[in-house]
Amino acid sequence: EAGVAQSPRYKIIEKRQSVAFWCNPISGHATLYWYQQILGQGPKLLIQFQNNGVVDDSQLPKDRFSAERLKGVDSTLKIQPAKLEDSAVYLCASSFSGGSEAFFGQGTRLTVV
Amino acid sequence: SQQGEEDPQALSIQEGENATMNCSYKTSINNLQWYRQNSGRGLVHLILIRSNEREKHSGRLRVTLDTSKKSSSLLITASRAADTASYFCATDIIQGAQKLVFGQGTRLTINP
């Protein structure tokens, strides 16, 4: 069974530039999560989708972050413009349903300089 | 804000000893999960315990849940060097819809 795919694995950008991350969840998983993990901290939920609808985006900085899940499958997370404090690992995860076992991708390590 | 709080933040033990990590949470949940994260890698699911369960085992892992105290513990028996990792509890918060929220984690180091 294929796992959660994320790309790119690493990205270095200058502040005020834009960046996009892509996630392909496990086939058949209705729930998709994006987390931000700063070094030494736990994953922080940015946005959770159920199919192509948003379940929660209360901690998504909507002035600079946006996410979409077209057709309830793949998802993209965008940051525009990036700030230094956005440097983190961005993790995508999927699960069969909300609250069930989540499967994580390897993450995208973003460095903003 | 984070839902779960793990304790201790860091734990260092000798190989072969048992390791116990605790998690406290704030709101009602359907279930609680534990995940492991090796350095620089994604999280891996270890075990899920439902709110109507008190204890669950999986290999060398033992998880307990006390919903009256809003707390859980993860016990790893006969630790191995490969168990060195960060361990996180995650709760599904029921506020309109279930969302999966993680704590800050416990960094476990197993010394040979």
Side-chain angles (χ1 to χ4, degrees):
Chain A
E1 177 184 86
V4 176
Q6 287 189 249
S7 68
R9 287 295 311 278
Y10 305 92
K11 191 75 176 178
I12 300 174
I13 62 172
E14 295 182 350
K15 59 183 179 182
R16 292 187 289 274
Q17 285 187 327
S18 63
V19 64
F21 312 126
W22 173 81
C23 174
N24 181 229
I26 292 174
S27 178
H29 280 190
T31 306
L32 185 147
Y33 313 83
W34 282 103
Y35 290 90
Q36 178 194 59
Q37 186 175 26
I38 294 173
L39 185 64
Q41 298 183 16
K44 172 186 169 183
L45 180 64
L46 292 177
I47 189 166
Q48 177 175 333
F49 292 95
Q50 182 72 17
N51 295 310
N52 59 350
V54 176
V55 169
D56 184 90
D57 62 357
S58 58
Q59 297 202 83
L60 186 74
K62 297 179 185 65
D63 58 335
R64 298 184 301 105
F65 286 64
S66 64
E68 61 181 5
R69 189 181 185 195
L70 299 176
K71 300 180 182 179
V73 182
D74 292 9
S75 178
T76 56
L77 176 69
K78 297 179 182 178
I79 307 175
Q80 182 180 11
K83 293 185 176 181
L84 296 177
E85 58 260 37
D86 298 332
S87 293
V89 175
Y90 291 84
L91 297 163
C92 178
S94 69
S95 64
F96 183 75
S97 62
S100 62
E101 175 185 352
F103 294 81
F104 281 78
Q106 289 298 303
T108 295
R109 183 176 299 276
L110 174 67
T111 302
V112 182
V113 297
Chain B
S1 62
Q2 300 300 110
Q3 155 79 329
E5 294 292 336
E6 283 92 339
D7 172 62
Q9 291 187 348
L11 179 62
S12 181
I13 61 173
Q14 295 300 121
E15 193 168 19
E17 293 181 339
N18 296 341
T20 300
M21 290 158 271
N22 303 296
C23 169
S24 59
Y25 58 92
K26 300 173 184 175
T27 64
S28 296
I29 60 173
N30 277 328
N31 63 59
L32 185 143
Q33 304 179 44
W34 285 90
Y35 288 78
R36 182 186 72 223
Q37 185 177 39
N38 291 90
S39 181
R41 299 193 174 185
L43 284 83
V44 174
H45 181 265
L46 295 176
I47 196 165
L48 180 153
I49 185 166
R50 303 191 186 284
S51 60
N52 61 354
E53 297 176 309
R54 292 296 168 259
E55 187 172 312
K56 200 164 183 178
H57 297 254
S58 176
R60 293 184 297 113
L61 306 180
R62 173 179 168 252
V63 170
T64 62
L65 178 65
D66 187 335
T67 53
S68 66
K69 295 181 179 178
K70 291 186 168 61
S71 67
S72 173
S73 68
L74 171 66
L75 169 67
I76 304 174
T77 60
S79 64
R80 305 167 182 170
D83 295 328
T84 293
S86 291
Y87 291 81
F88 298 91
C89 68
T91 52
D92 66 328
I93 298 177
I94 311 169
Q95 290 176 343
Q98 289 177 282
K99 57 180 184 179
L100 193 61
V101 178
F102 284 79
Q104 294 296 330
T106 293
R107 175 68 188 168
L108 175 65
T109 302
I110 308 299
N111 301 303

